[in-house]
Amino acid sequence: MQYKTLFTSESVTEGHPDKVCDLISDAVLDAYLASDPEARVAVEVMASFGLLIICGEVTSRAKIDIESVARNVIKEIGYTETNLGFDYQNVKIKINVHSQSPDISIGVTESSNHEQGAGDQGFVFGYATDETKELMPLAIHMAHLLAKRLTEVRKKGIMPYLRPDGKTQVTVEYDEKGNVKRIDTIVISAQHTDDVSQEQIRKDILTHVVSILPTNLIDNKTNYFINPTGRFVIGGPNGDTGLTGRKIIVDTYGGYARHGGGALSGKDPSKVDRSALYYARYVAKNIVAAGLAKKCEIQVAYIIGQAKPVSIKIDTFETNTIKEEKIASIVEKLFDFRPKEIIKSLNLKQPIYKRLAAYGHLGRCNVSYEETDKKAEIIKLAK
């Protein structure tokens, strides 16, 4: 058998139990930021059969009806029928939210003799590749497109028998030089009503969902697996317990780049798990957009309470067009990785997070950290 270089990534729909929790966490965050941009929020959610638990730490002058926020999100996702075992009207909601620990606050709060520090120790990765125009790895980008389309055909009534839960997976084949060659395998699992045949589901998904992918990447050898178990009626929190932050690889690069392990959803931007990850993506994307490398990964590490990173490392995987030392020098001149400056430059104290919670935080349009506005300055300094 001829050896193939393959890479696989997955995505999930907004009705997946973990994504339900991510969406609620970020909706609560948005509600606080809309009234109080200085709010400190760290909210975790667990969803199970007929039950939703919301826990965390919030320090804010705003007063938010957290339960109403959660029920509205569940309704928007599409859990509106009681026979699903989890619906916005009947789900029991338990809330246990208290103020931020003063031991954490002292390290994060800016004062006359203390610069705003990182909200925790840890490290994040930013990544960009020229595989797609969004400068994202192809496999995760295609998986997100399929997951988003699954939700679209359900909500528009194109496939009215679909239910909110769903998963997608895409395997990409690369040539001997590491360039994208083709899509080898597509996997789609879609929750559905009990009265539709698997033959109908397969036909409709190939016609209305898979058809959105670029035809030049699909050939007669591409493999399709549609609802491979043959049945997906029980889904969402009724079928599997959901937790905030359990889809961090789906949220970022689909496993193509490394990950520091910190979740994004439910955290205000004082947490570098979120803000510094966005910023590292911003820097890496600008480096690739400027033509300094075909691929770029940046690791940034922090200490709780300290503003300046303890380390910044750049890796271009030998695709750089100038020396990596020169790239590092350019990054040092143009980009400030201190939390306060990250938040300010990316304008992160805005209620923007719920719309990022599903279908990937990265590779999107109309978000500050996806801009390539430093491209010209990078090119100038590189000459």
Side-chain angles (χ1 to χ4, degrees):
M1 184 178 72
Q2 185 178 6
Y3 177 76
K4 296 179 181 179
T5 301
L6 303 172
F7 190 86
T8 302
S9 294
E10 72 160 349
S11 183
V12 298
T13 66
E14 61 197 54
H16 184 280
D18 294 330
K19 274 297 148 207
V20 172
C21 296
D22 286 340
L23 281 156
I24 292 171
S25 293
D26 275 337
V28 171
L29 170 61
D30 280 357
Y32 276 103
L33 290 178
S35 297
D36 178 12
E38 304 303 321
R40 298 278 171 78
V41 179
V43 172
E44 314 286 343
V45 177
M46 182 177 78
S48 188
F49 181 85
L51 177 65
L52 190 78
I53 300 173
I54 304 173
C55 296
E57 302 79 49
V58 174
T59 299
S60 174
R61 64 175 184 269
K63 302 298 180 184
I64 302 300
D65 185 347
I66 294 176
E67 180 174 333
S68 292
V69 171
R71 291 191 188 278
N72 285 336
V73 171
I74 296 168
K75 182 179 180 181
E76 288 173 9
I77 291 171
Y79 286 111
T80 57
E81 302 173 40
T82 57
N83 63 353
L84 294 176
F86 184 90
D87 70 277
Y88 79 101
Q89 290 179 306
N90 297 297
V91 63
K92 294 179 181 179
I93 298 180
K94 296 184 178 180
I95 299 172
N96 185 16
V97 173
H98 55 87
S99 60
Q100 185 181 60
S101 162
D103 292 352
I104 295 175
S105 179
I106 195 173
V108 181
T109 303
E110 185 177 18
S111 63
S112 59
N113 61 351
H114 178 81
E115 189 175 8
Q116 180 179 335
D120 199 355
Q121 71 175 48
F123 56 93
V124 299
F125 288 93
Y127 183 79
T129 172
D130 64 359
E131 283 186 12
T132 63
K133 64 181 179 65
E134 294 81 8
L135 303 187
M136 286 288 288
L138 182 68
I140 187 64
H141 183 63
M142 296 292 105
H144 285 325
L145 289 179
L146 291 173
K148 195 171 184 179
R149 180 60 177 169
L150 264 185
T151 296
E152 186 176 297
V153 297
R154 169 176 63 87
K155 289 187 172 182
K156 288 185 175 180
I158 297 171
M159 296 174 65
Y161 53 80
L162 291 184
R163 292 298 176 260
D165 199 356
K167 302 181 76 171
T168 65
Q169 187 171 286
V170 175
T171 300
V172 173
E173 181 181 350
Y174 293 84
D175 64 21
E176 63 278 1
K177 294 182 179 180
N179 298 313
V180 170
K181 186 176 180 181
R182 56 188 286 276
I183 292 176
D184 182 81
T185 303
I186 295 169
V187 183
I188 298 178
S189 296
Q191 186 188 11
H192 57 87
T193 59
D194 202 14
D195 57 355
V196 60
S197 69
Q198 291 302 312
E199 292 75 17
Q200 185 66 49
I201 294 171
R202 179 181 176 85
K203 177 184 175 183
D204 288 347
I205 283 181
L206 290 174
T207 301
H208 301 297
V209 180
V210 175
S211 61
I212 70 167
L213 296 184
T215 55
N216 64 307
L217 295 176
I218 296 174
D219 56 33
N220 57 10
K221 294 183 179 180
T222 299
N223 302 299
Y224 301 96
F225 296 89
I226 311 299
N227 280 13
T229 68
R231 178 181 171 88
F232 188 6
V233 174
I234 300 172
N238 186 20
D240 192 13
T241 299
L243 292 170
T244 297
R246 201 156 58 178
K247 284 291 177 283
I248 57 176
I249 300 303
V250 171
D251 289 342
T252 51
Y253 305 101
Y256 200 91
R258 287 171 283 194
H259 197 292
L264 290 93
S265 289
K267 298 177 180 178
D268 74 82
S270 71
K271 283 74 171 174
V272 289
D273 280 345
R274 178 163 227 159
S275 55
L277 186 147
Y278 290 162
Y279 198 68
R281 159 68 177 170
Y282 172 63
V283 176
K285 186 173 183 180
N286 274 272
I287 289 170
V288 173
L292 271 57
K294 292 174 69 64
K295 300 178 181 180
C296 182
E297 182 184 76
I298 298 177
Q299 186 204 49
V300 189
Y302 290 89
I303 302 171
I304 187 169
Q306 301 296 312
K308 291 184 178 180
V310 69
S311 68
I312 300 174
K313 181 182 183 296
I314 297 173
D315 189 349
T316 59
F317 308 94
E318 299 182 350
T319 67
N320 47 306
T321 57
I322 64 173
K323 290 183 177 181
E324 282 189 353
E325 293 85 350
K326 178 66 173 178
I327 296 175
S329 175
I330 292 170
V331 168
E332 185 179 4
K333 288 180 181 178
L334 290 183
F335 300 98
D336 192 335
F337 286 86
R338 292 176 295 171
K340 181 180 178 181
E341 298 307 315
I342 289 175
I343 293 167
K344 180 181 177 181
S345 65
L346 297 182
N347 196 21
L348 294 179
K349 292 184 179 180
Q350 307 294 317
I352 60 171
Y353 298 104
K354 177 174 169 281
R355 69 181 177 92
L356 304 174
Y359 315 113
H361 291 245
L362 310 173
R364 289 176 168 268
C365 300
N366 302 318
V367 286
S368 58
Y369 54 83
E370 290 293 330
E371 296 295 329
T372 53
D373 53 332
K374 296 292 185 181
K375 175 181 173 180
E377 291 178 80
I378 291 173
I379 293 173
K380 184 177 179 180
L381 289 171
K383 291 181 178 179

